[in-house]
Amino acid sequence: KSNIEIPNKAQDIYRETANKKNFDDWIWGKHSVFEALISERAINRIWCTSEIFSSEKFYILLKDLKSKGVLIEEVSWNRLSQLTFGASHQGVALQLACSKTISLQELIDFSNKNSTNPIILALDGITDPHNVGAIIRSAEAFNCKGIIIPQRRSAGLTGTVAKVAAGALEHLPVSRVVNLNRALEELKKNGFLVIGLSGDGQLSISKFHEKTPMVLIVGAEDKGISLLTQKKCDVILSIPLKGKTSSLNASVAAAISLFHLTNN
């Protein structure tokens, strides 16, 4: 009988994946998470079990954070154990954000204070953190006044986003909103023209010469701007392509559009 132990391949892969996952920006356990919440650290996302909501101190804090755009996801105990690779999470875990966000009204006030015709960039359904980071870098380079990121269907301000943004996050305000379409309505009330960017846009961006406060919406490369969000747009612009490529990467499209709009 051999004494050689044959390793469980699935367990080895699981451990290897856990070691590769970067937990530098993660916090779990009731006490640790609570301390992070009351210290008002910038938070990207929270995962918790239903039992956490029965705690009054957690319920009040989580409700306030959700209203500020922090994504709070209720998950099962087993799912949370999978996310933390078996850590002693006690039913709650969070991922820190690399930068603090501001409210939509603060972003509007800041934009109007610093420019006659400010441009704000809104992201719709861009879940790749590399794309979000590249967009933020371009937005800051072209003097965009801020970024709007929806709570869902978008990458948050993770370490990857900050790394790709190459320092731009330090100089560009970001507002994370619960509902993008309601945010667009609020921007309209404050005098902003809502512009969608789509390959199907009827007006070429090269023929657009409006000088007014505006918010430019960029969607994911594959799905584009959602139909509901398109209905909120005052105008939908397209970037004319001359080659056989049918679409551009979202970060490239954002950079081209901002270059044109800021040089009108």
Side-chain angles (χ1 to χ4, degrees):
K1 218 176 185 183
S2 173
N3 290 325
I4 299 173
E5 185 179 336
I6 300 175
N8 184 311
K9 190 174 181 180
Q11 286 182 356
D12 287 350
I13 293 172
Y14 186 78
R15 289 194 194 97
E16 186 180 348
T17 306
N19 290 334
K20 286 181 179 178
K21 185 164 185 175
N22 185 359
F23 281 114
D24 289 347
D25 56 358
W26 282 59
I27 295 174
W28 52 69
K30 290 180 181 178
H31 179 73
S32 298
V33 168
F34 184 74
E35 289 300 317
L37 297 182
I38 61 175
S39 66
E40 298 185 351
R41 297 183 71 177
I43 295 168
N44 176 48
R45 189 169 181 176
I46 298 173
W47 296 265
C48 61
T49 60
S50 56
E51 291 85 358
I52 293 298
F53 289 102
S54 62
S55 166
E56 185 178 358
K57 66 178 185 179
F58 271 105
Y59 177 80
I60 294 170
L61 286 169
L62 294 176
K63 185 179 179 181
D64 180 56
L65 286 167
K66 187 174 182 180
S67 70
K68 293 177 180 176
V70 176
L71 180 56
I72 299 173
E73 187 175 349
E74 186 178 322
V75 294
S76 68
W77 190 278
N78 288 339
R79 176 58 181 153
L80 194 50
S81 295
Q82 288 176 345
L83 289 168
T84 58
F85 290 93
S88 180
H89 53 71
Q90 298 178 307
V92 63
L94 64 79
Q95 183 185 36
L96 296 170
C98 56
S99 178
K100 282 193 173 183
T101 58
I102 62 175
S103 70
L104 179 63
Q105 190 57 54
E106 286 175 317
L107 178 56
I108 291 170
D109 294 341
F110 171 80
S111 300
N112 288 326
K113 188 185 298 182
N114 290 276
S115 177
T116 307
N117 298 311
I119 297 176
I120 293 174
L121 197 61
L123 309 187
D124 182 24
I126 302 180
T127 56
D128 183 349
H130 292 87
N131 262 344
V132 173
I135 288 170
I136 289 172
R137 187 174 182 178
S138 295
E140 198 282 327
F142 289 114
N143 201 28
C144 183
K145 297 306 175 184
I147 299 278
I148 296 173
I149 298 178
Q151 185 189 66
R152 295 186 178 275
R153 297 179 61 246
S154 177
L157 300 180
T158 63
T160 300
V161 169
K163 185 176 180 181
V164 177
L169 262 176
E170 301 299 319
H171 311 287
L172 191 70
V174 178
S175 176
R176 198 167 189 192
V177 298
V178 176
N179 185 292
L180 178 58
N181 294 316
R182 282 203 296 267
L184 295 176
E185 289 173 2
E186 192 61 33
L187 283 158
K188 283 188 177 187
K189 291 177 185 176
N190 283 269
F192 281 78
L193 188 72
V194 177
I195 301 169
L197 193 62
S198 170
D200 299 324
Q202 298 301 307
L203 181 63
S204 168
I205 195 167
S206 61
K207 296 179 180 178
F208 182 79
H209 303 289
E210 293 287 334
K211 291 187 182 296
T212 182
M214 60 184 75
V215 52
L216 176 68
I217 309 168
V218 179
E221 182 182 345
D222 52 347
K223 297 178 181 178
I225 302 171
S226 69
L227 291 175
L228 191 59
T229 301
Q230 286 185 40
K231 292 178 181 178
K232 299 291 181 184
C233 295
D234 297 306
V235 59
I236 297 180
L237 304 178
S238 64
I239 298 173
L241 303 177
K242 301 186 183 300
K244 294 183 179 180
T245 301
S246 60
S247 65
L248 295 171
N249 175 274
S251 63
V252 174
I256 292 171
S257 303
L258 289 170
F259 172 77
H260 175 79
L261 294 173
T262 55
N263 283 280
N264 254 337

